[in-house]
Every structure is written in C-alpha cells, then in structure tokens.
PDB file of all heavy atoms in Angstrom:
ATOM      1  N   GLN A   1       0.763  -9.441  -6.668  1.00  0.00           N
ATOM      2  CA  GLN A   1       0.419  -8.813  -5.436  1.00  0.00           C
ATOM      3  C   GLN A   1       0.218  -9.872  -4.355  1.00  0.00           C
ATOM      4  O   GLN A   1      -0.669 -10.742  -4.501  1.00  0.00           O
ATOM      5  CB  GLN A   1      -0.850  -7.964  -5.588  1.00  0.00           C
ATOM      6  CG  GLN A   1      -0.659  -6.869  -6.613  1.00  0.00           C
ATOM      7  CD  GLN A   1      -1.920  -6.013  -6.792  1.00  0.00           C
ATOM      8  OE1 GLN A   1      -1.926  -5.049  -7.521  1.00  0.00           O
ATOM      9  NE2 GLN A   1      -3.033  -6.334  -6.092  1.00  0.00           N
ATOM     10  N   TYR A   2       0.980  -9.850  -3.294  1.00  0.00           N
ATOM     11  CA  TYR A   2       0.908 -10.914  -2.297  1.00  0.00           C
ATOM     12  C   TYR A   2       0.888 -10.351  -0.853  1.00  0.00           C
ATOM     13  O   TYR A   2       1.153  -9.179  -0.624  1.00  0.00           O
ATOM     14  CB  TYR A   2       2.120 -11.862  -2.421  1.00  0.00           C
ATOM     15  CG  TYR A   2       3.451 -11.249  -2.030  1.00  0.00           C
ATOM     16  CD1 TYR A   2       3.858 -11.233  -0.696  1.00  0.00           C
ATOM     17  CD2 TYR A   2       4.306 -10.714  -3.002  1.00  0.00           C
ATOM     18  CE1 TYR A   2       5.067 -10.659  -0.336  1.00  0.00           C
ATOM     19  CE2 TYR A   2       5.512 -10.133  -2.625  1.00  0.00           C
ATOM     20  CZ  TYR A   2       5.893 -10.112  -1.311  1.00  0.00           C
ATOM     21  OH  TYR A   2       7.087  -9.560  -0.942  1.00  0.00           O
ATOM     22  N   ASN A   3       0.462 -11.227   0.061  1.00  0.00           N
ATOM     23  CA  ASN A   3       0.505 -10.957   1.480  1.00  0.00           C
ATOM     24  C   ASN A   3       1.246 -12.068   2.200  1.00  0.00           C
ATOM     25  O   ASN A   3       0.927 -13.244   1.956  1.00  0.00           O
ATOM     26  CB  ASN A   3      -0.914 -10.850   2.082  1.00  0.00           C
ATOM     27  CG  ASN A   3      -1.718  -9.707   1.468  1.00  0.00           C
ATOM     28  OD1 ASN A   3      -2.039  -9.717   0.304  1.00  0.00           O
ATOM     29  ND2 ASN A   3      -2.052  -8.731   2.307  1.00  0.00           N
ATOM     30  N   ALA A   4       2.186 -11.750   3.052  1.00  0.00           N
ATOM     31  CA  ALA A   4       2.903 -12.710   3.853  1.00  0.00           C
ATOM     32  C   ALA A   4       2.919 -12.262   5.290  1.00  0.00           C
ATOM     33  O   ALA A   4       3.136 -11.068   5.568  1.00  0.00           O
ATOM     34  CB  ALA A   4       4.348 -12.837   3.323  1.00  0.00           C
ATOM     35  N   ARG A   5       2.707 -13.197   6.226  1.00  0.00           N
ATOM     36  CA  ARG A   5       2.584 -12.781   7.641  1.00  0.00           C
ATOM     37  C   ARG A   5       2.970 -13.931   8.560  1.00  0.00           C
ATOM     38  O   ARG A   5       2.760 -15.102   8.262  1.00  0.00           O
ATOM     39  CB  ARG A   5       1.137 -12.348   7.907  1.00  0.00           C
ATOM     40  CG  ARG A   5       0.884 -11.849   9.332  1.00  0.00           C
ATOM     41  CD  ARG A   5      -0.438 -11.123   9.392  1.00  0.00           C
ATOM     42  NE  ARG A   5      -0.410  -9.904   8.587  1.00  0.00           N
ATOM     43  CZ  ARG A   5       0.040  -8.739   9.014  1.00  0.00           C
ATOM     44  NH1 ARG A   5       0.514  -8.590  10.271  1.00  0.00           N
ATOM     45  NH2 ARG A   5       0.075  -7.699   8.215  1.00  0.00           N
ATOM     46  N   ILE A   6       3.520 -13.573   9.724  1.00  0.00           N
ATOM     47  CA  ILE A   6       3.770 -14.496  10.803  1.00  0.00           C
ATOM     48  C   ILE A   6       3.225 -13.904  12.084  1.00  0.00           C
ATOM     49  O   ILE A   6       3.385 -12.701  12.335  1.00  0.00           O
ATOM     50  CB  ILE A   6       5.259 -14.816  10.949  1.00  0.00           C
ATOM     51  CG1 ILE A   6       5.487 -15.869  12.033  1.00  0.00           C
ATOM     52  CG2 ILE A   6       6.078 -13.569  11.189  1.00  0.00           C
ATOM     53  CD1 ILE A   6       6.900 -16.442  12.054  1.00  0.00           C
ATOM     54  N   GLY A   7       2.529 -14.717  12.841  1.00  0.00           N
ATOM     55  CA  GLY A   7       1.892 -14.203  14.050  1.00  0.00           C
ATOM     56  C   GLY A   7       1.957 -15.179  15.218  1.00  0.00           C
ATOM     57  O   GLY A   7       2.351 -16.342  15.047  1.00  0.00           O
ATOM     58  N   TYR A   8       1.519 -14.699  16.356  1.00  0.00           N
ATOM     59  CA  TYR A   8       1.551 -15.541  17.583  1.00  0.00           C
ATOM     60  C   TYR A   8       0.244 -15.332  18.343  1.00  0.00           C
ATOM     61  O   TYR A   8      -0.197 -14.217  18.586  1.00  0.00           O
ATOM     62  CB  TYR A   8       2.742 -15.142  18.468  1.00  0.00           C
ATOM     63  CG  TYR A   8       2.786 -15.884  19.780  1.00  0.00           C
ATOM     64  CD1 TYR A   8       3.156 -17.237  19.827  1.00  0.00           C
ATOM     65  CD2 TYR A   8       2.456 -15.255  20.978  1.00  0.00           C
ATOM     66  CE1 TYR A   8       3.207 -17.936  21.039  1.00  0.00           C
ATOM     67  CE2 TYR A   8       2.510 -15.937  22.192  1.00  0.00           C
ATOM     68  CZ  TYR A   8       2.887 -17.261  22.217  1.00  0.00           C
ATOM     69  OH  TYR A   8       2.900 -17.941  23.403  1.00  0.00           O
ATOM     70  N   TYR A   9      -0.345 -16.467  18.753  1.00  0.00           N
ATOM     71  CA  TYR A   9      -1.560 -16.418  19.577  1.00  0.00           C
ATOM     72  C   TYR A   9      -1.179 -16.248  21.034  1.00  0.00           C
ATOM     73  O   TYR A   9      -0.615 -17.157  21.642  1.00  0.00           O
ATOM     74  CB  TYR A   9      -2.385 -17.684  19.389  1.00  0.00           C
ATOM     75  CG  TYR A   9      -3.084 -17.796  18.057  1.00  0.00           C
ATOM     76  CD1 TYR A   9      -2.558 -18.594  17.041  1.00  0.00           C
ATOM     77  CD2 TYR A   9      -4.288 -17.109  17.846  1.00  0.00           C
ATOM     78  CE1 TYR A   9      -3.233 -18.682  15.829  1.00  0.00           C
ATOM     79  CE2 TYR A   9      -4.948 -17.221  16.636  1.00  0.00           C
ATOM     80  CZ  TYR A   9      -4.414 -17.999  15.620  1.00  0.00           C
ATOM     81  OH  TYR A   9      -5.087 -18.111  14.426  1.00  0.00           O
ATOM     82  N   ILE A  10      -1.493 -15.082  21.574  1.00  0.00           N
ATOM     83  CA  ILE A  10      -1.215 -14.820  22.972  1.00  0.00           C
ATOM     84  C   ILE A  10      -2.103 -15.725  23.837  1.00  0.00           C
ATOM     85  O   ILE A  10      -1.646 -16.262  24.842  1.00  0.00           O
ATOM     86  CB  ILE A  10      -1.494 -13.339  23.301  1.00  0.00           C
ATOM     87  CG1 ILE A  10      -0.616 -12.427  22.414  1.00  0.00           C
ATOM     88  CG2 ILE A  10      -1.254 -13.051  24.777  1.00  0.00           C
ATOM     89  CD1 ILE A  10      -1.005 -10.983  22.473  1.00  0.00           C
ATOM     90  N   ASN A  11      -3.329 -15.887  23.393  1.00  0.00           N
ATOM     91  CA  ASN A  11      -4.247 -16.870  24.001  1.00  0.00           C
ATOM     92  C   ASN A  11      -5.225 -17.264  22.918  1.00  0.00           C
ATOM     93  O   ASN A  11      -5.029 -16.975  21.747  1.00  0.00           O
ATOM     94  CB  ASN A  11      -4.955 -16.290  25.244  1.00  0.00           C
ATOM     95  CG  ASN A  11      -5.628 -14.952  24.978  1.00  0.00           C
ATOM     96  OD1 ASN A  11      -6.235 -14.755  23.918  1.00  0.00           O
ATOM     97  ND2 ASN A  11      -5.498 -14.009  25.923  1.00  0.00           N
ATOM     98  N   ASP A  12      -6.328 -17.949  23.272  1.00  0.00           N
ATOM     99  CA  ASP A  12      -7.263 -18.421  22.253  1.00  0.00           C
ATOM    100  C   ASP A  12      -7.994 -17.301  21.549  1.00  0.00           C
ATOM    101  O   ASP A  12      -8.548 -17.494  20.460  1.00  0.00           O
ATOM    102  CB  ASP A  12      -8.283 -19.361  22.900  1.00  0.00           C
ATOM    103  CG  ASP A  12      -7.699 -20.708  23.226  1.00  0.00           C
ATOM    104  OD1 ASP A  12      -6.681 -21.060  22.595  1.00  0.00           O
ATOM    105  OD2 ASP A  12      -8.272 -21.395  24.089  1.00  0.00           O
ATOM    106  N   LYS A  13      -8.009 -16.107  22.130  1.00  0.00           N
ATOM    107  CA  LYS A  13      -8.796 -15.032  21.566  1.00  0.00           C
ATOM    108  C   LYS A  13      -7.992 -13.907  20.889  1.00  0.00           C
ATOM    109  O   LYS A  13      -8.529 -13.194  20.066  1.00  0.00           O
ATOM    110  CB  LYS A  13      -9.670 -14.407  22.679  1.00  0.00           C
ATOM    111  CG  LYS A  13     -10.724 -15.370  23.193  1.00  0.00           C
ATOM    112  CD  LYS A  13     -11.594 -14.684  24.239  1.00  0.00           C
ATOM    113  CE  LYS A  13     -12.673 -15.633  24.750  1.00  0.00           C
ATOM    114  NZ  LYS A  13     -13.571 -14.984  25.744  1.00  0.00           N
ATOM    115  N   TYR A  14      -6.719 -13.774  21.244  1.00  0.00           N
ATOM    116  CA  TYR A  14      -5.952 -12.646  20.758  1.00  0.00           C
ATOM    117  C   TYR A  14      -4.608 -13.096  20.151  1.00  0.00           C
ATOM    118  O   TYR A  14      -3.982 -14.001  20.648  1.00  0.00           O
ATOM    119  CB  TYR A  14      -5.686 -11.623  21.861  1.00  0.00           C
ATOM    120  CG  TYR A  14      -6.912 -10.977  22.397  1.00  0.00           C
ATOM    121  CD1 TYR A  14      -7.535 -11.424  23.566  1.00  0.00           C
ATOM    122  CD2 TYR A  14      -7.494  -9.902  21.721  1.00  0.00           C
ATOM    123  CE1 TYR A  14      -8.706 -10.838  24.041  1.00  0.00           C
ATOM    124  CE2 TYR A  14      -8.634  -9.298  22.201  1.00  0.00           C
ATOM    125  CZ  TYR A  14      -9.268  -9.771  23.341  1.00  0.00           C
ATOM    126  OH  TYR A  14     -10.398  -9.170  23.822  1.00  0.00           O
ATOM    127  N   SER A  15      -4.222 -12.346  19.076  1.00  0.00           N
ATOM    128  CA  SER A  15      -2.921 -12.652  18.453  1.00  0.00           C
ATOM    129  C   SER A  15      -2.289 -11.335  18.004  1.00  0.00           C
ATOM    130  O   SER A  15      -2.948 -10.313  17.806  1.00  0.00           O
ATOM    131  CB  SER A  15      -3.055 -13.568  17.237  1.00  0.00           C
ATOM    132  OG  SER A  15      -3.668 -12.886  16.137  1.00  0.00           O
ATOM    133  N   ILE A  16      -0.993 -11.391  17.877  1.00  0.00           N
ATOM    134  CA  ILE A  16      -0.195 -10.275  17.364  1.00  0.00           C
ATOM    135  C   ILE A  16       0.645 -10.781  16.221  1.00  0.00           C
ATOM    136  O   ILE A  16       1.126 -11.933  16.271  1.00  0.00           O
ATOM    137  CB  ILE A  16       0.651  -9.600  18.467  1.00  0.00           C
ATOM    138  CG1 ILE A  16       1.287  -8.293  17.959  1.00  0.00           C
ATOM    139  CG2 ILE A  16       1.703 -10.575  19.028  1.00  0.00           C
ATOM    140  CD1 ILE A  16       1.932  -7.479  19.069  1.00  0.00           C
ATOM    141  N   SER A  17       0.859  -9.970  15.149  1.00  0.00           N
ATOM    142  CA  SER A  17       1.554 -10.473  13.987  1.00  0.00           C
ATOM    143  C   SER A  17       2.253  -9.345  13.251  1.00  0.00           C
ATOM    144  O   SER A  17       1.956  -8.153  13.433  1.00  0.00           O
ATOM    145  CB  SER A  17       0.585 -11.171  13.031  1.00  0.00           C
ATOM    146  OG  SER A  17      -0.370 -10.255  12.529  1.00  0.00           O
ATOM    147  N   ILE A  18       3.242  -9.741  12.415  1.00  0.00           N
ATOM    148  CA  ILE A  18       3.915  -8.793  11.533  1.00  0.00           C
ATOM    149  C   ILE A  18       3.851  -9.378  10.108  1.00  0.00           C
ATOM    150  O   ILE A  18       3.801 -10.572   9.927  1.00  0.00           O
ATOM    151  CB  ILE A  18       5.392  -8.558  11.970  1.00  0.00           C
ATOM    152  CG1 ILE A  18       6.141  -9.874  11.973  1.00  0.00           C
ATOM    153  CG2 ILE A  18       5.448  -7.841  13.272  1.00  0.00           C
ATOM    154  CD1 ILE A  18       7.643  -9.700  12.214  1.00  0.00           C
ATOM    155  N   GLY A  19       3.849  -8.486   9.109  1.00  0.00           N
ATOM    156  CA  GLY A  19       3.761  -8.956   7.767  1.00  0.00           C
ATOM    157  C   GLY A  19       4.024  -7.889   6.744  1.00  0.00           C
ATOM    158  O   GLY A  19       4.240  -6.705   7.057  1.00  0.00           O
ATOM    159  N   ASN A  20       4.026  -8.337   5.484  1.00  0.00           N
ATOM    160  CA  ASN A  20       4.211  -7.461   4.337  1.00  0.00           C
ATOM    161  C   ASN A  20       3.031  -7.585   3.412  1.00  0.00           C
ATOM    162  O   ASN A  20       2.743  -8.691   2.949  1.00  0.00           O
ATOM    163  CB  ASN A  20       5.521  -7.788   3.582  1.00  0.00           C
ATOM    164  CG  ASN A  20       5.679  -6.973   2.324  1.00  0.00           C
ATOM    165  OD1 ASN A  20       5.271  -5.808   2.279  1.00  0.00           O
ATOM    166  ND2 ASN A  20       6.275  -7.550   1.302  1.00  0.00           N
ATOM    167  N   ASP A  21       2.339  -6.490   3.131  1.00  0.00           N
ATOM    168  CA  ASP A  21       1.306  -6.441   2.127  1.00  0.00           C
ATOM    169  C   ASP A  21       1.921  -5.790   0.886  1.00  0.00           C
ATOM    170  O   ASP A  21       2.204  -4.602   0.852  1.00  0.00           O
ATOM    171  CB  ASP A  21       0.123  -5.598   2.605  1.00  0.00           C
ATOM    172  CG  ASP A  21      -0.550  -6.175   3.822  1.00  0.00           C
ATOM    173  OD1 ASP A  21      -0.075  -7.208   4.331  1.00  0.00           O
ATOM    174  OD2 ASP A  21      -1.528  -5.604   4.266  1.00  0.00           O
ATOM    175  N   HIS A  22       2.094  -6.649  -0.164  1.00  0.00           N
ATOM    176  CA  HIS A  22       2.742  -6.183  -1.391  1.00  0.00           C
ATOM    177  C   HIS A  22       1.645  -5.843  -2.386  1.00  0.00           C
ATOM    178  O   HIS A  22       1.123  -6.693  -3.106  1.00  0.00           O
ATOM    179  CB  HIS A  22       3.647  -7.274  -1.924  1.00  0.00           C
ATOM    180  CG  HIS A  22       4.304  -6.953  -3.237  1.00  0.00           C
ATOM    181  ND1 HIS A  22       5.369  -6.093  -3.320  1.00  0.00           N
ATOM    182  CD2 HIS A  22       4.059  -7.381  -4.471  1.00  0.00           C
ATOM    183  CE1 HIS A  22       5.759  -6.012  -4.595  1.00  0.00           C
ATOM    184  NE2 HIS A  22       4.956  -6.782  -5.318  1.00  0.00           N
ATOM    185  N   MET A  23       1.230  -4.563  -2.378  1.00  0.00           N
ATOM    186  CA  MET A  23       0.273  -4.074  -3.325  1.00  0.00           C
ATOM    187  C   MET A  23       0.994  -3.407  -4.488  1.00  0.00           C
ATOM    188  O   MET A  23       2.191  -3.196  -4.448  1.00  0.00           O
ATOM    189  CB  MET A  23      -0.680  -3.071  -2.630  1.00  0.00           C
ATOM    190  CG  MET A  23      -1.481  -3.666  -1.459  1.00  0.00           C
ATOM    191  SD  MET A  23      -2.447  -2.427  -0.563  1.00  0.00           S
ATOM    192  CE  MET A  23      -1.180  -1.671   0.464  1.00  0.00           C
ATOM    193  N   LYS A  24       0.216  -3.067  -5.503  1.00  0.00           N
ATOM    194  CA  LYS A  24       0.745  -2.307  -6.645  1.00  0.00           C
ATOM    195  C   LYS A  24      -0.220  -1.172  -6.929  1.00  0.00           C
ATOM    196  O   LYS A  24      -1.428  -1.373  -7.029  1.00  0.00           O
ATOM    197  CB  LYS A  24       0.921  -3.192  -7.854  1.00  0.00           C
ATOM    198  CG  LYS A  24       1.945  -4.325  -7.694  1.00  0.00           C
ATOM    199  CD  LYS A  24       2.048  -5.160  -8.961  1.00  0.00           C
ATOM    200  CE  LYS A  24       2.915  -6.405  -8.777  1.00  0.00           C
ATOM    201  NZ  LYS A  24       4.353  -6.039  -8.670  1.00  0.00           N
ATOM    202  N   TYR A  25       0.344   0.024  -7.102  1.00  0.00           N
ATOM    203  CA  TYR A  25      -0.452   1.219  -7.420  1.00  0.00           C
ATOM    204  C   TYR A  25       0.025   1.774  -8.736  1.00  0.00           C
ATOM    205  O   TYR A  25       1.240   2.060  -8.907  1.00  0.00           O
ATOM    206  CB  TYR A  25      -0.306   2.283  -6.297  1.00  0.00           C
ATOM    207  CG  TYR A  25      -0.991   3.591  -6.597  1.00  0.00           C
ATOM    208  CD1 TYR A  25      -2.236   3.865  -6.070  1.00  0.00           C
ATOM    209  CD2 TYR A  25      -0.377   4.547  -7.402  1.00  0.00           C
ATOM    210  CE1 TYR A  25      -2.887   5.061  -6.337  1.00  0.00           C
ATOM    211  CE2 TYR A  25      -1.006   5.758  -7.669  1.00  0.00           C
ATOM    212  CZ  TYR A  25      -2.266   6.004  -7.150  1.00  0.00           C
ATOM    213  OH  TYR A  25      -2.893   7.204  -7.402  1.00  0.00           O
ATOM    214  N   VAL A  26      -0.888   1.934  -9.671  1.00  0.00           N
ATOM    215  CA  VAL A  26      -0.544   2.460 -10.990  1.00  0.00           C
ATOM    216  C   VAL A  26      -1.439   3.636 -11.299  1.00  0.00           C
ATOM    217  O   VAL A  26      -2.662   3.505 -11.396  1.00  0.00           O
ATOM    218  CB  VAL A  26      -0.713   1.390 -12.087  1.00  0.00           C
ATOM    219  CG1 VAL A  26      -0.335   1.969 -13.463  1.00  0.00           C
ATOM    220  CG2 VAL A  26       0.109   0.173 -11.772  1.00  0.00           C
ATOM    221  N   MET A  27      -0.850   4.830 -11.454  1.00  0.00           N
ATOM    222  CA  MET A  27      -1.625   5.977 -11.883  1.00  0.00           C
ATOM    223  C   MET A  27      -2.135   5.775 -13.274  1.00  0.00           C
ATOM    224  O   MET A  27      -1.408   5.341 -14.163  1.00  0.00           O
ATOM    225  CB  MET A  27      -0.749   7.261 -11.837  1.00  0.00           C
ATOM    226  CG  MET A  27      -1.472   8.507 -12.155  1.00  0.00           C
ATOM    227  SD  MET A  27      -0.365   9.863 -12.615  1.00  0.00           S
ATOM    228  CE  MET A  27       0.217   9.291 -14.234  1.00  0.00           C
ATOM    229  N   LYS A  28      -3.416   6.060 -13.501  1.00  0.00           N
ATOM    230  CA  LYS A  28      -4.018   5.924 -14.840  1.00  0.00           C
ATOM    231  C   LYS A  28      -3.447   6.979 -15.743  1.00  0.00           C
ATOM    232  O   LYS A  28      -3.711   8.167 -15.592  1.00  0.00           O
ATOM    233  CB  LYS A  28      -5.530   6.028 -14.708  1.00  0.00           C
ATOM    234  CG  LYS A  28      -6.240   5.903 -16.062  1.00  0.00           C
ATOM    235  CD  LYS A  28      -7.748   6.108 -15.918  1.00  0.00           C
ATOM    236  CE  LYS A  28      -8.418   6.080 -17.275  1.00  0.00           C
ATOM    237  NZ  LYS A  28      -9.871   6.376 -17.152  1.00  0.00           N
ATOM    238  N   THR A  29      -2.674   6.543 -16.751  1.00  0.00           N
ATOM    239  CA  THR A  29      -2.121   7.456 -17.715  1.00  0.00           C
ATOM    240  C   THR A  29      -3.178   7.820 -18.745  1.00  0.00           C
ATOM    241  O   THR A  29      -3.985   6.998 -19.151  1.00  0.00           O
ATOM    242  CB  THR A  29      -0.888   6.854 -18.424  1.00  0.00           C
ATOM    243  OG1 THR A  29       0.029   6.410 -17.458  1.00  0.00           O
ATOM    244  CG2 THR A  29      -0.227   7.824 -19.339  1.00  0.00           C
ATOM    245  N   GLY A  30      -3.181   9.103 -19.158  1.00  0.00           N
ATOM    246  CA  GLY A  30      -4.127   9.576 -20.144  1.00  0.00           C
ATOM    247  C   GLY A  30      -5.365  10.202 -19.507  1.00  0.00           C
ATOM    248  O   GLY A  30      -6.240  10.745 -20.221  1.00  0.00           O
ATOM    249  N   GLN A  31      -5.484  10.124 -18.182  1.00  0.00           N
ATOM    250  CA  GLN A  31      -6.630  10.714 -17.533  1.00  0.00           C
ATOM    251  C   GLN A  31      -6.511  12.251 -17.525  1.00  0.00           C
ATOM    252  O   GLN A  31      -5.414  12.821 -17.709  1.00  0.00           O
ATOM    253  CB  GLN A  31      -6.734  10.254 -16.082  1.00  0.00           C
ATOM    254  CG  GLN A  31      -5.590  10.701 -15.177  1.00  0.00           C
ATOM    255  CD  GLN A  31      -5.740  10.153 -13.772  1.00  0.00           C
ATOM    256  OE1 GLN A  31      -6.597  10.597 -13.018  1.00  0.00           O
ATOM    257  NE2 GLN A  31      -4.847   9.228 -13.425  1.00  0.00           N
ATOM    258  N   THR A  32      -7.622  12.924 -17.341  1.00  0.00           N
ATOM    259  CA  THR A  32      -7.631  14.377 -17.222  1.00  0.00           C
ATOM    260  C   THR A  32      -7.708  14.731 -15.753  1.00  0.00           C
ATOM    261  O   THR A  32      -8.557  14.230 -15.045  1.00  0.00           O
ATOM    262  CB  THR A  32      -8.814  14.967 -17.966  1.00  0.00           C
ATOM    263  OG1 THR A  32      -8.712  14.681 -19.369  1.00  0.00           O
ATOM    264  CG2 THR A  32      -8.836  16.486 -17.854  1.00  0.00           C
ATOM    265  N   ALA A  33      -6.808  15.601 -15.327  1.00  0.00           N
ATOM    266  CA  ALA A  33      -6.758  16.014 -13.942  1.00  0.00           C
ATOM    267  C   ALA A  33      -6.636  17.551 -13.848  1.00  0.00           C
ATOM    268  O   ALA A  33      -6.256  18.190 -14.832  1.00  0.00           O
ATOM    269  CB  ALA A  33      -5.600  15.375 -13.200  1.00  0.00           C
ATOM    270  N   VAL A  34      -6.958  18.082 -12.720  1.00  0.00           N
ATOM    271  CA  VAL A  34      -6.806  19.515 -12.480  1.00  0.00           C
ATOM    272  C   VAL A  34      -5.399  19.722 -11.929  1.00  0.00           C
ATOM    273  O   VAL A  34      -4.958  19.002 -11.021  1.00  0.00           O
ATOM    274  CB  VAL A  34      -7.848  20.039 -11.476  1.00  0.00           C
ATOM    275  CG1 VAL A  34      -7.575  21.495 -11.080  1.00  0.00           C
ATOM    276  CG2 VAL A  34      -9.236  19.917 -12.103  1.00  0.00           C
ATOM    277  N   ILE A  35      -4.685  20.740 -12.447  1.00  0.00           N
ATOM    278  CA  ILE A  35      -3.320  21.047 -12.044  1.00  0.00           C
ATOM    279  C   ILE A  35      -3.250  22.484 -11.524  1.00  0.00           C
ATOM    280  O   ILE A  35      -3.889  23.400 -12.100  1.00  0.00           O
ATOM    281  CB  ILE A  35      -2.312  20.802 -13.185  1.00  0.00           C
ATOM    282  CG1 ILE A  35      -0.877  21.057 -12.713  1.00  0.00           C
ATOM    283  CG2 ILE A  35      -2.657  21.633 -14.413  1.00  0.00           C
ATOM    284  CD1 ILE A  35       0.175  20.678 -13.736  1.00  0.00           C
ATOM    285  N   ASP A  36      -2.452  22.674 -10.503  1.00  0.00           N
ATOM    286  CA  ASP A  36      -2.233  24.025  -9.960  1.00  0.00           C
ATOM    287  C   ASP A  36      -0.754  24.130  -9.562  1.00  0.00           C
ATOM    288  O   ASP A  36      -0.218  23.234  -8.906  1.00  0.00           O
ATOM    289  CB  ASP A  36      -3.105  24.230  -8.700  1.00  0.00           C
ATOM    290  CG  ASP A  36      -2.970  25.632  -8.152  1.00  0.00           C
ATOM    291  OD1 ASP A  36      -3.252  26.606  -8.883  1.00  0.00           O
ATOM    292  OD2 ASP A  36      -2.566  25.741  -6.968  1.00  0.00           O
ATOM    293  N   GLY A  37      -0.086  25.202  -9.974  1.00  0.00           N
ATOM    294  CA  GLY A  37       1.310  25.403  -9.614  1.00  0.00           C
ATOM    295  C   GLY A  37       2.110  25.891 -10.805  1.00  0.00           C
ATOM    296  O   GLY A  37       1.558  26.475 -11.743  1.00  0.00           O
ATOM    297  N   VAL A  38       3.415  25.622 -10.772  1.00  0.00           N
ATOM    298  CA  VAL A  38       4.313  26.135 -11.792  1.00  0.00           C
ATOM    299  C   VAL A  38       5.288  25.078 -12.221  1.00  0.00           C
ATOM    300  O   VAL A  38       5.753  24.278 -11.411  1.00  0.00           O
ATOM    301  CB  VAL A  38       5.068  27.384 -11.282  1.00  0.00           C
ATOM    302  CG1 VAL A  38       5.912  27.057 -10.034  1.00  0.00           C
ATOM    303  CG2 VAL A  38       5.932  27.997 -12.370  1.00  0.00           C
ATOM    304  N   ILE A  39       5.573  25.066 -13.545  1.00  0.00           N
ATOM    305  CA  ILE A  39       6.631  24.213 -14.134  1.00  0.00           C
ATOM    306  C   ILE A  39       7.519  25.099 -14.955  1.00  0.00           C
ATOM    307  O   ILE A  39       7.070  25.854 -15.827  1.00  0.00           O
ATOM    308  CB  ILE A  39       6.023  23.108 -15.042  1.00  0.00           C
ATOM    309  CG1 ILE A  39       5.089  22.189 -14.194  1.00  0.00           C
ATOM    310  CG2 ILE A  39       7.141  22.247 -15.657  1.00  0.00           C
ATOM    311  CD1 ILE A  39       4.324  21.150 -15.041  1.00  0.00           C
ATOM    312  N   ASP A  40       8.820  25.068 -14.690  1.00  0.00           N
ATOM    313  CA  ASP A  40       9.822  25.853 -15.411  1.00  0.00           C
ATOM    314  C   ASP A  40      11.082  24.984 -15.553  1.00  0.00           C
ATOM    315  O   ASP A  40      12.154  25.310 -15.097  1.00  0.00           O
ATOM    316  CB  ASP A  40      10.140  27.127 -14.618  1.00  0.00           C
ATOM    317  CG  ASP A  40      11.066  28.059 -15.396  1.00  0.00           C
ATOM    318  OD1 ASP A  40      11.166  27.917 -16.624  1.00  0.00           O
ATOM    319  OD2 ASP A  40      11.714  28.909 -14.755  1.00  0.00           O
ATOM    320  N   ALA A  41      10.882  23.859 -16.317  1.00  0.00           N
ATOM    321  CA  ALA A  41      11.939  22.867 -16.422  1.00  0.00           C
ATOM    322  C   ALA A  41      12.422  22.675 -17.850  1.00  0.00           C
ATOM    323  O   ALA A  41      13.060  21.698 -18.174  1.00  0.00           O
ATOM    324  CB  ALA A  41      11.457  21.542 -15.895  1.00  0.00           C
ATOM    325  N   GLY A  42      12.149  23.658 -18.704  1.00  0.00           N
ATOM    326  CA  GLY A  42      12.550  23.552 -20.100  1.00  0.00           C
ATOM    327  C   GLY A  42      11.792  22.511 -20.893  1.00  0.00           C
ATOM    328  O   GLY A  42      12.346  21.853 -21.742  1.00  0.00           O
ATOM    329  N   THR A  43      10.508  22.388 -20.577  1.00  0.00           N
ATOM    330  CA  THR A  43       9.664  21.392 -21.243  1.00  0.00           C
ATOM    331  C   THR A  43       8.475  22.094 -21.924  1.00  0.00           C
ATOM    332  O   THR A  43       8.242  23.301 -21.745  1.00  0.00           O
ATOM    333  CB  THR A  43       9.068  20.382 -20.252  1.00  0.00           C
ATOM    334  OG1 THR A  43       8.039  21.005 -19.470  1.00  0.00           O
ATOM    335  CG2 THR A  43      10.176  19.865 -19.289  1.00  0.00           C
ATOM    336  N   ILE A  44       7.718  21.317 -22.705  1.00  0.00           N
ATOM    337  CA  ILE A  44       6.564  21.883 -23.353  1.00  0.00           C
ATOM    338  C   ILE A  44       5.430  22.159 -22.365  1.00  0.00           C
ATOM    339  O   ILE A  44       4.431  22.803 -22.687  1.00  0.00           O
ATOM    340  CB  ILE A  44       6.006  20.896 -24.456  1.00  0.00           C
ATOM    341  CG1 ILE A  44       5.625  19.558 -23.843  1.00  0.00           C
ATOM    342  CG2 ILE A  44       7.063  20.725 -25.561  1.00  0.00           C
ATOM    343  CD1 ILE A  44       4.948  18.627 -24.835  1.00  0.00           C
TER     344      ILE A  44
END
C-alpha cells in the first residue's frame, strides 16, 4: 500500500497537488452479515 504525489507551492502558505493513494480493501471472509433480496442463479 503506497502513496505517490507531486505538488506545487503557489506561495509559502498554499500548495496544490495530484497523487495516487494505493490502498487495499479486503472483505472479511467468514463473517456473519444480514442479507436482504433474492438469488436465483442455480446455486445452493
């Protein structure tokens, strides 16, 4: 997981920048959740 950025100081007090925040999100498998809706896909 990394952060990369390039920016420019407009003056001593303010800057503007662009970047990429590379996070990772993993749903916890095996957790118990509440489900609402319908499944009709030929599965158990």
